[in-house]
Amino acid sequence: MANENIQMGPETMNFVDAIKTCIGKYVDFNGRASRAEYWWFMLFTFIIGLIPVVNFLGILLLVPSLSVSWRRMHDIGKGGGWWFVNFIPLAGVIWWIVMAVKPGEPTANRFGDAPVK
């Protein structure tokens, strides 16, 4: 089966859990963040950015967005500093896609234990 590596079920982080986790780890750049945690929080920041009345919240969400991105880098086995590749125009787009779709390392790595999926 082509999708046998995709894990769904109660161990998958949902939208609300991802937001709670990222806000709770507001300035925590240590550890790892799963794809689900990363993408749910990025969706949240995108939605907030679309609402003109609360658009200023985007500024407040800048640090948690950076920290979850940093921890996502740790999940795929890269140092958080790789995030700065995003500032190189074409390489940034390619790296963003890699960060988005590459599954995290299934076991503990030098950055910590595997996160909740």
Side-chain angles (χ1 to χ4, degrees):
M1 185 178 254
N3 293 331
E4 62 192 26
N5 292 332
I6 297 175
Q7 295 181 357
M8 299 297 284
E11 68 276 352
T12 303
M13 185 172 282
N14 63 33
F15 183 75
V16 174
D17 290 340
I19 294 168
K20 287 179 183 177
T21 300
C22 291
I23 297 298
K25 294 181 174 183
Y26 193 81
V27 291
D28 185 6
F29 289 80
N30 296 317
R32 297 167 63 175
S34 67
R35 276 189 296 184
E37 179 183 346
Y38 174 76
W39 277 111
W40 283 127
F41 193 72
M42 290 298 124
L43 176 63
F44 174 69
T45 58
F46 177 76
I47 291 169
I48 292 296
L50 291 177
I51 305 169
V53 176
V54 294
N55 200 8
F56 70 93
L57 287 177
I59 295 169
L60 297 176
L61 294 174
L62 183 63
V63 173
S65 296
L66 178 59
S67 74
V68 74
S69 298
W70 205 272
R71 287 183 283 115
R72 178 69 188 127
M73 292 291 174
H74 290 171
D75 190 44
I76 62 174
K78 302 292 183 196
W82 277 91
W83 181 84
F84 293 105
V85 171
N86 290 315
F87 292 113
I88 303 170
L90 182 59
V93 171
I94 293 168
W95 185 249
W96 184 74
I97 292 169
V98 167
M99 183 177 72
V101 299
K102 185 176 179 183
E105 295 179 344
T107 59
N109 65 14
R110 65 187 173 138
F111 301 105
D113 295 331
V116 174
K117 297 287 179 204

